[in-house]
Amino acid sequence: LVVTEHEDLGSDMLEIGPGPGAATEWLRHRVKRLTALEIDEEAAAKLAAQYGGSNVEVVTGSAAAIGYPDESFDSVACFTMPHHIPTSAEQNKLLAEALRVLKPGGVLIGSDSLPSDGLHHFHAGDTYNPVEPAALLIRLQTLGFGTITLWVDEMLKFSARKPGPESGCGRS
């Protein structure tokens, strides 16, 4: 996952929308504690069974209303899931909540599919609201993220840092 190559993820990470856990296994080896927030109860139950007794805690809930206090996590990740959120306003709620729960200097990392006819047809009967890369940059800036990096190749990948101490993520 190229978005993690140059980022300090800290010790406590929140993964939003892990679904079947495609990135969960990889992420859990890069942080001390990984909290996986999944809205689908069945998917959450499968992940909880898979990662029981590990450094992964699976929580059922919505990314639009993350039930953790401000500044709870060193990093937040969301991989290939923003296009499953029905509206741009709801996507913005996810991004705003990610910013809220990040510690100062913490980083949001993620990826999503680029818009295509193939994906549009693949998601027939399902939610498909792809994020435009240029719009994501403006949305992250507007919400208050600081340093933002976007990579666009076969996918959209991004990192966005919450403003904070220059010397790290404000971790204890």
Side-chain angles (χ1 to χ4, degrees):
L1 299 171
V2 72
V3 296
T4 63
E5 285 179 11
H6 305 290
E7 297 294 352
D8 176 3
L9 302 177
S11 60
D12 292 308
M13 173 183 267
L14 173 66
E15 181 186 15
I16 298 173
T24 306
E25 180 64 22
W26 193 88
L27 290 170
R28 78 181 196 94
H29 294 288
R30 278 142 187 88
V31 293
K32 186 175 179 181
R33 286 178 295 279
L34 177 63
T35 302
L37 178 66
E38 174 57 50
I39 197 166
D40 181 89
E41 291 181 18
E42 185 178 328
K46 286 179 184 177
L47 281 176
Q50 181 178 350
Y51 290 106
S54 75
N55 67 329
V56 178
E57 176 188 7
V58 180
V59 177
T60 304
S62 170
I66 298 171
Y68 287 89
D70 295 357
E71 302 179 3
S72 293
F73 297 95
D74 298 314
S75 54
V76 175
C78 61
F79 292 106
T80 63
M81 64 76 61
H83 69 270
H84 290 288
I85 300 172
T87 68
S88 295
E90 289 175 286
Q91 289 172 350
N92 287 344
K93 285 182 186 176
L94 173 149
L95 297 170
E97 278 291 274
L99 181 65
R100 183 186 66 77
V101 299
L102 275 172
K103 293 177 182 176
V107 66
L108 167 66
I109 58 172
S111 67
D112 206 8
S113 306
L114 293 171
S116 72
D117 287 340
L119 276 176
H120 179 74
H121 292 297
F122 178 78
H123 285 289
D126 186 12
T127 300
Y128 178 61
N129 182 28
V131 177
E132 293 288 341
L136 179 62
L137 174 63
I138 293 166
R139 290 158 73 183
L140 290 167
Q141 287 174 327
T142 301
L143 288 168
F145 280 95
T147 303
I148 300 166
T149 305
L150 301 177
W151 297 267
V152 181
D153 47 31
E154 71 279 354
M155 296 187 76
L156 165 63
K157 299 172 206 102
F158 57 92
S159 69
R161 193 161 292 282
K162 182 174 185 170
E166 294 297 320
S167 60
C169 292
R171 293 180 205 105
S172 51

